[in-house]
Amino acid sequence: MYIYLICPIIGFALAQGTKVFIKSFSHKVTWHDIFAYSDMPSGHTAVVVALVTIFGLKLGIDSPIFAAAFVFAMIVIVDAIGLRNYLGQHGKTLNVLVKDLREDEFLDRSYPKLLERIGHTPFQVIIGGLVGAITSVVIYWLL
């Protein structure tokens, strides 16, 4: 029973840990980097693919739970690539517009800087998916 929680949690930890490790080469790591939305690999994809993989291994791919998890994973993955990149473009545009406004303390409080990089590239999602799938397969074999 715990395997259905362990695999996604470990997959997320490995993906986020890898992300922080990669970022440490370019800048000093902060707490914000541990739960960052973008960059390599996709932690969200690692979680949902780990869950789908362990359901497939334990319950079979003809299980309704596997099917529901698969659909859920597809929604998360499509959002990670498409919707979140689109939201990042909006954030970038709004940040430029707010910067063009007259600078004062009221505007700084009313219009905080929005995140501009919250999505993933297809490659980052593929690597996140591999991290999640491999995590579940290894844990399945070990347990």
Side-chain angles (χ1 to χ4, degrees):
M1 182 65 166
Y2 293 116
I3 197 167
Y4 302 115
L5 289 173
I6 291 171
C7 291
I9 290 170
I10 291 176
F12 179 77
L14 289 172
Q16 290 300 109
T18 302
K19 187 182 299 190
V20 170
F21 179 73
I22 291 170
K23 281 186 175 186
S24 71
F25 291 110
S26 63
H27 70 277
K28 185 179 177 186
V29 176
T30 64
W31 282 105
H32 175 73
D33 293 326
I34 295 172
F35 297 103
Y37 288 109
S38 62
D39 293 326
M40 171 75 78
S42 170
H44 292 86
T45 303
V47 168
V48 294
V49 170
L51 189 63
V52 167
T53 302
I54 198 61
F55 280 151
L57 292 170
K58 294 285 281 180
L59 304 175
I61 60 172
D62 60 342
S63 161
I65 294 174
F66 172 82
F70 184 84
V71 170
F72 171 69
M74 291 299 99
I75 292 168
V76 169
I77 291 168
V78 168
D79 279 355
I81 295 172
L83 179 64
R84 286 177 34 199
N85 279 321
Y86 191 63
L87 290 173
Q89 291 171 356
H90 279 249
K92 188 174 188 175
T93 301
L94 289 171
N95 287 338
V96 168
L97 292 173
V98 169
K99 187 177 180 185
D100 287 345
L101 296 173
R102 190 171 51 90
E103 295 287 331
D104 67 14
E105 190 176 322
F106 172 75
L107 290 175
D108 291 341
R109 282 193 319 269
S110 300
Y111 302 103
K113 183 167 173 49
L114 299 173
L115 293 175
E116 297 178 6
R117 293 184 51 202
I118 59 174
H120 289 287
T121 65
F123 183 68
Q124 292 169 342
V125 167
I126 289 169
I127 299 301
L130 287 173
V131 168
I134 291 168
T135 299
S136 288
V137 168
V138 168
I139 291 172
Y140 178 76
W141 283 340
L142 291 175
L143 299 178

